Amino acid sequence: MGHFFDQAQIASLLAAYGYWAIFIVVALESSGLPLPGETMLVGASIYARLSGALSIETIIFAAAAGAIVGDNIGYWIGREFGYRALERHGWRVGLGPEKLRLGQYLFYKWGGAIVFFGRFIALLRILAALLAGANRLPAPRFFFYNAAGGIVWALIFGLGAYWLTATFQKIEGPIATAGALCGLFAVFVLWRYYKANEARLLREADDMLSQRKR
């Protein structure tokens, strides 16, 4: 995914559409489409440093705005359609009513961290908002962590690429790989924790959901 656009293609898109190219690609990725939003941000920042044709401040603003808007679209899609799809068809992949309640509970407890840190992990960057919506993460909490993650991500990768240019291109791949490995490790740890505490977590999920319905 990271090589979907090369630097020449990014420069061409920026010359034709300017900051809108950054906003649209990042927004579409954040809403659930497998597009290279991070590559676009990094490439645009390097282009700005080498050419002087774009402002790094506006690039960061466009990327952060795209991340926030796209994630909100993904959240709405997950909330309106994802949850119903899981209710109807989740049993086909082992997600019965108990597992759906547990998913809501886990997102209620840790969904903010998943949304924030998911911004820095390729697959989660595409899926986090959809999962948050489908698992009914409360909207105010989602909006806060979504905005915080989008802004911090745009600042780190935008300024990093702008000031380090070619050096940042070399380390971007290892950074993405390390993030993916950390994400996989976190999933494994959570799975082990869930298997060791399944009964208690299901009781806590039922208690939490019953309290929210009162």
Side-chain angles (χ1 to χ4, degrees):
M1 191 182 303
H3 300 287
F4 192 95
F5 293 150
D6 61 27
Q7 195 62 35
Q9 290 171 316
I10 290 173
S12 177
L13 285 171
L14 293 171
Y17 304 106
Y19 302 107
W20 282 107
I22 304 164
F23 174 85
I24 291 171
V25 172
V26 172
L28 289 175
E29 179 194 42
S30 300
S31 65
L33 296 179
L35 292 174
E38 192 168 279
T39 300
M40 173 59 78
L41 169 58
V42 170
S45 301
I46 293 172
Y47 176 79
R49 179 65 186 271
L50 297 178
S51 70
L54 297 176
S55 159
I56 185 59
E57 293 83 3
T58 311
I59 287 172
I60 290 170
F61 176 81
I68 293 168
V69 170
D71 275 342
N72 277 279
I73 293 171
Y75 176 82
W76 177 80
I77 292 172
R79 193 173 181 89
E80 293 299 316
F81 303 105
Y83 182 74
R84 295 176 189 172
L86 288 174
E87 276 191 317
R88 292 179 183 176
H89 306 293
W91 61 271
R92 300 177 187 274
V93 291
L95 296 176
E98 285 188 344
K99 299 293 177 60
L100 294 181
R101 293 198 302 272
L102 180 59
Q104 289 184 54
Y105 172 65
L106 294 177
F107 259 85
Y108 185 80
K109 289 191 69 173
W110 296 303
I114 294 171
V115 169
F116 181 89
F117 290 107
R119 170 55 48 188
F120 298 87
I121 300 172
L123 184 59
L124 273 181
R125 191 161 52 245
I126 298 171
L127 297 177
L130 291 167
L131 292 172
N135 285 287
R136 302 296 176 91
L137 178 66
R141 191 180 304 178
F142 171 79
F143 296 151
F144 173 80
Y145 285 101
N146 164 47
I151 292 169
V152 172
W153 168 77
L155 284 169
I156 290 174
F157 281 86
L159 291 176
Y162 184 78
W163 290 112
L164 298 176
T165 56
T167 302
F168 193 86
Q169 281 186 308
K170 292 178 182 178
I171 65 174
E172 183 192 4
I175 289 174
T177 301
L181 291 174
C182 288
L184 289 172
F185 179 73
V187 169
F188 174 75
V189 170
L190 288 173
W191 177 77
R192 293 289 298 172
Y193 177 78
Y194 160 70
K195 295 304 289 184
N197 300 273
E198 182 174 6
R200 176 179 62 81
L201 288 171
L202 287 171
R203 287 196 303 271
E204 291 178 1
D206 288 337
D207 291 341
M208 183 272 290
L209 291 172
S210 64
Q211 289 175 8
R212 290 177 65 187
K213 289 178 181 178
R214 290 175 185 172

